[in-house]
Amino acid sequence: MADTKELQARNKQEVSPEAEQTRPGRIFTPEVDICENDAEIRLLADMPGVAPEDLTIDLKDDTLTLSGDVKPLQAEGETPLLVEFEVGRFQRQFSLAETIDQNRITASLRDGVLHLTLPKHARATSRRISVSGA
Amino acid sequence: MIYRPLWSVPRWAGTDVLDELNRMQQFMGRLTDAFQTRGGARPAAWAGVFPAVNLSEDQDGYFVRAELPGVNADDLDIRVEGRHLTIAGQRTIAMEGDKVCYHRREREGGKFSRVLGLPGDIDAEKVTARLVNGILTVQVPKAATARPRQISVQ
């Protein structure tokens, strides 16, 4: 697909958390792409403003939680003139199928995009069994 | 022959209906206000043009910030002309191979271009831009004439 179309402005999706929050601030849902091939599932998430040290990837009971804190963009002493987007924490949860090999998950964060690779278990990848004659 | 004066009926009905409509309109206005402030999904200022920008100022200059995750610095084209700042560029979403199936596809690629008028005169020579963690920050110093200057009293 050639990216020749015009990008449309979209609102950031704000979520109201299920658990009560102890920290102030807003929570947004990152936009994600998830694609799967024979060997792995790859997840890309847009998390602009999240530094690698502020990103937490948590895996518990087959639930993958991505959360990243965004520090306020404005420095002290600046007066806002126009505010079109708010910043806050990014958070999203996914439930993983059992076929994921949880020990081999890798993640990297580049230019505000999280790249997560979730390899499947060796036994879940389809394998052709050759049958030999007796 | 009994007849009813025509004008009295519509006038009574008309005023009542209009009052009722006005009340409804006010109520709906309050309702939508409440939604917008509580949900907060759409901040007060919203031009509807990509990218959404935040503009702030301090004594020495303006700061323009935009969320541009996954955009290469090489694909950005930032220009200044007079008081107008143009942010244009392209966001490319890499395609996976043929043998994949997508479960979610929310990220979008495409071209964008936005012109932003700044409220005061600027020093076009000293504009700097940085792209860190997917956030673009353009620092636009104010022109010397636009900066506040303290006058000492003799």
Side-chain angles (χ1 to χ4, degrees):
Chain A
M1 178 183 68
D3 288 319
T4 48
K5 63 173 180 166
E6 295 279 316
L7 264 176
Q8 298 299 312
R10 286 194 292 184
N11 276 312
K12 287 171 84 171
Q13 288 293 315
E14 189 169 1
V15 287
S16 41
E18 286 162 24
E20 291 198 29
Q21 292 296 301
T22 50
R23 274 188 287 181
R26 298 183 147 180
I27 301 178
F28 297 96
T29 307
E31 285 166 1
V32 299
D33 280 355
I34 302 175
C35 58
E36 178 176 356
N37 65 16
D38 283 343
E40 62 193 20
I41 291 175
R42 292 188 47 200
L43 185 151
L44 304 180
D46 285 345
M47 301 172 106
V50 178
E53 61 269 20
D54 293 329
L55 178 72
T56 324
I57 302 168
D58 184 50
L59 186 60
K60 197 162 73 180
D61 300 336
D62 290 335
T63 303
L64 178 76
T65 308
L66 312 177
S67 74
D69 284 312
V70 181
K71 296 190 182 84
L73 302 178
Q74 266 190 35
E76 294 271 327
E78 286 180 31
T79 320
L81 300 176
L82 173 75
V83 179
E84 288 189 341
F85 66 90
E86 307 274 351
V87 294
R89 192 137 53 101
F90 283 108
Q91 197 170 53
R92 195 156 174 179
Q93 284 190 328
F94 302 92
S95 41
L96 293 184
E98 288 170 18
T99 53
I100 299 297
D101 187 351
Q102 302 193 348
N103 295 321
R104 290 195 295 139
I105 295 175
T106 54
S108 72
L109 187 62
R110 289 194 300 272
D111 301 329
V113 181
L114 170 70
H115 300 248
L116 202 61
T117 309
L118 311 157
K120 293 182 188 176
H121 269 305
R123 60 180 150 86
T125 57
S126 59
R127 209 181 310 157
R128 179 175 281 253
I129 314 285
S130 58
V131 181
S132 55
Chain B
M1 185 176 163
I2 303 166
Y3 79 100
R4 187 180 276 164
L6 259 178
W7 52 89
S8 74
V9 177
R11 191 185 289 168
W12 275 100
T15 49
D16 267 2
V17 166
L18 277 182
D19 279 356
E20 192 61 29
L21 275 176
N22 277 336
R23 269 201 296 278
M24 267 168 67
Q25 196 174 17
Q26 280 170 11
F27 177 73
M28 291 305 281
R30 278 202 298 274
L31 205 66
T32 47
D33 281 355
F35 268 125
Q36 275 169 5
T37 49
R38 192 184 305 156
R42 179 167 295 191
W46 174 260
V49 182
F50 188 92
V53 297
N54 282 357
L55 172 68
S56 61
E57 70 167 343
D58 66 4
Q59 272 194 356
D60 300 322
Y62 299 102
F63 298 89
V64 179
R65 296 187 176 90
E67 291 182 321
L68 295 171
V71 175
N72 293 324
D74 299 339
D75 291 336
L76 273 177
D77 182 13
I78 297 170
R79 289 160 195 267
V80 188
E81 200 178 329
R83 282 186 186 182
H84 295 281
L85 174 75
T86 307
I87 300 171
Q90 189 170 3
R91 185 181 184 215
T92 29
I93 301 286
M95 279 301 287
E96 301 294 329
D98 289 334
K99 280 188 167 181
V100 294
C101 81
Y102 274 94
H103 296 285
R104 296 274 191 287
R105 196 134 189 218
E106 299 166 358
R107 301 166 70 240
E108 284 185 333
K111 287 179 178 168
F112 56 88
S113 172
R114 174 150 192 194
V115 184
L116 196 69
L118 295 168
D121 284 335
I122 58 170
D123 188 351
E125 297 293 315
K126 290 183 184 150
V127 178
T128 54
R130 282 180 305 139
L131 189 60
V132 180
N133 290 331
I135 301 261
L136 173 73
T137 306
V138 186
Q139 196 172 350
V140 186
K142 290 181 184 173
T145 50
R147 289 187 202 192
R149 202 185 306 161
Q150 194 169 15
I151 312 292
S152 58
V153 181
Q154 310 257 320

